[in-house]
């Protein structure tokens, strides 16, 4: 897999002790979720709490409880695993990522408490290195658009889930009206290769083709919109400070393209959960 430019940038910035970036993206690398977006204060702490809330929303739609086995695919720096570790006991927590550098950081920072076990394992979402029926829950938080194939990932998630288990994920879903030029801006550049070609209806078809039933399909676009104002404030701060790692132009450009598409409702942000 080609490395993702935004992770190259984050890893370099986190290694140079960038406190704001550490608090914003040192744990979770995803958009924030605000229950009341109009009350977002957009402080660093507010964004960190909103990012934590997105992870909580995703695992809460699975009806999670103590003592379960959870696989977090595309686990980033392990923020969702850390959150589960802090909120549940007796869990088997496994984070999987294609990028060993992110796993190294997760292993250094996250240690089991509350009678939990934690493993961070290298692997591809489309060839999960686990036996059949080994997890109660599979999560994929804001990462499925990077996977080589959603179809293959769904097959693999179904295989490793126990009967009755849940798959939960979040994704930017496509309105077919999205202009082709704008798709190009999102598909490449700072965020690397992203396939944003899926609509809500395609997820329903994919679930059916894999014998999953759809439990939750929730449009949370409005709850994520403050993320863009927060990111803009980070870009401005960095440019004013003229730091060594100033925001790459492609970061500003790609984020603006996603924001415009989201505000025009050409792209929506959805949370799904599926039951095996
Ligand atoms: C936007 S980040 C989300 C990280 C994490 N889920 C979070 O919410 O903090 C996307 C993640 O997907 C991972 N990823 C991309 N392609 C992958 C693949 N084929 N298999 C496993 N992980 C992958 C990336 O390395 C990155 O950690």
């Amino acid at each position: 897999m080609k490395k993702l430019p935004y992770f190259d940038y984050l890893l370099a910035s986190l290694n140079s002790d960038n406190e704001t970036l550490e608090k914003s993206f040192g744990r979770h690398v995803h958009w924030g979720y605000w229950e009341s977006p109009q009350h977002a204060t957009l402080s660093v702490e507010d964004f960190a709490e909103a990012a934590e809330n997105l992870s909580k929303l995703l695992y809460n739609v699975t009806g999670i409880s103590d003592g379960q086995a959870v696989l977090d695919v595309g686990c980033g720096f392990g923020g969702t695993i850390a959150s589960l570790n802090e909120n549940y006991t007796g869990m088997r927590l496994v984070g999987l990522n294609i990028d060993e550098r992110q796993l190294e950081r997760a292993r250094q920072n996250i240690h089991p408490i509350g009678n939990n076990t934690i493993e961070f394992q290298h692997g591809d979402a489309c060839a999960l290195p686990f036996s059949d029926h080994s997890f109660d829950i599979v999560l994929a938080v804001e990462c499925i658009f990077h996977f080589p194939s959603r179809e293959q990932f769904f097959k693999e998630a179904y295989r490793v889930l126990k009967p009755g288990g849940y798959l939960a994920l979040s994704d930017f879903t496509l309105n077919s009206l999205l202009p082709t030029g704008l798709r190009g801006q999102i598909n490449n550049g700072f965020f690397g290769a992203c396939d944003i070609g899926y609509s809500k209806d395609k997820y329903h078809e994919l679930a059916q083709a894999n014998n999953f039933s759809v439990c939750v399909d929730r449009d949370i676009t409005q709850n994520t919109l403050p993320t863009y104002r927060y990111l803009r404030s980070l870009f401005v701060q960095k440019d004013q400070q003229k730091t060594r790692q100033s925001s790459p132009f492609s970061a500003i450009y790609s984020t603006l393209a996603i924001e415009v598409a989201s505000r025009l409702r050409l792209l929506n942000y959805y949370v799904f959960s599926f039951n095996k």
Side-chain angles (χ1 to χ4, degrees):
M1 173 207 131
K2 268 180 74 183
K3 295 225 173 82
L4 300 169
Y6 67 106
F7 270 100
D8 295 343
Y9 173 77
L10 274 180
L11 284 158
S13 304
L14 294 170
N15 285 338
S16 61
D17 277 343
N18 183 323
E19 204 188 324
T20 304
L21 224 56
E22 179 73 46
K23 285 187 184 159
S24 309
F25 296 110
R27 175 171 163 113
H28 300 289
V29 185
H30 56 230
W31 277 193
Y33 172 87
W34 287 263
E35 193 59 49
S36 307
Q38 68 278 19
H39 295 137
T41 66
L42 301 185
S43 65
V44 180
E45 291 72 23
D46 180 54
F47 179 75
E49 190 185 334
E52 181 73 14
N53 285 339
L54 184 77
S55 283
K56 287 185 172 163
L57 177 66
L58 253 104
Y59 60 68
N60 284 331
V61 295
T62 66
I64 192 164
S65 58
D66 289 336
Q68 292 192 313
V70 182
L71 171 64
D72 183 25
V73 181
C75 66
F77 296 138
T80 300
I81 294 285
S83 179
L84 289 167
N85 185 38
E86 290 155 15
N87 288 291
Y88 294 89
T89 59
M91 308 291 276
R92 177 183 173 220
L93 301 173
V94 181
L96 179 116
N97 206 314
I98 196 123
D99 182 351
E100 186 56 55
R101 301 168 307 166
Q102 297 174 43
L103 291 168
E104 253 170 53
R105 186 182 152 87
R107 287 186 199 108
Q108 270 167 23
N109 291 340
I110 303 166
H111 304 286
I113 54 172
N115 210 19
N116 298 320
T117 66
I118 298 183
E119 295 157 56
F120 285 106
Q121 193 159 335
H122 184 255
D124 187 333
C126 292
L128 295 174
F130 307 105
S131 49
D132 299 359
H133 307 162
S134 37
F135 293 96
D136 299 287
I137 292 167
V138 173
L139 302 172
V141 186
E142 209 173 293
C143 49
I144 195 168
F145 43 77
H146 287 313
F147 299 167
S149 153
R150 282 182 180 80
E151 290 74 14
Q152 183 59 24
F153 169 63
F154 262 63
K155 281 196 173 59
E156 282 292 86
Y158 190 88
R159 182 182 66 74
V160 302
L161 275 172
K162 297 176 188 172
Y166 285 85
L167 164 65
L169 63 91
S170 64
D171 194 7
F172 298 92
T173 59
L174 180 71
N175 178 324
S176 52
L177 295 174
L178 186 68
T180 320
L182 207 49
R183 284 186 215 178
Q185 295 319 314
I186 299 167
N187 280 344
N188 282 300
F190 186 62
F191 295 111
C194 302
D195 170 11
I196 50 152
Y198 249 61
S199 63
K200 178 182 125 174
D201 290 347
K202 280 188 90 173
Y203 269 111
H204 279 257
E205 285 166 24
L206 186 58
Q208 200 178 16
N210 286 281
N211 296 318
F212 277 116
S213 48
V214 180
C215 299
V216 173
D217 69 341
R218 185 168 155 207
D219 182 348
I220 61 162
T221 313
Q222 290 301 326
N223 307 86
T224 62
L225 289 181
T227 304
Y228 301 101
R229 260 196 298 144
Y230 182 71
L231 290 176
R232 270 204 303 278
S233 74
L234 283 191
F235 296 149
V236 171
Q237 271 173 35
K238 289 192 109 337
D239 291 343
Q240 279 169 356
Q241 288 165 1
K242 300 260 180 289
T243 55
R244 273 172 295 148
Q245 286 281 327
S246 67
S247 312
F249 180 67
S250 65
I252 301 172
Y253 194 55
S254 301
T255 309
L256 188 65
I258 302 174
E259 175 173 8
V260 169
S262 301
R263 291 196 186 278
L264 294 175
R265 305 313 301 251
L266 298 170
L267 264 190
N268 294 311
Y269 195 109
Y270 263 80
V271 167
F272 294 99
S273 94
F274 307 96
N275 185 218
K276 173 172 173 177

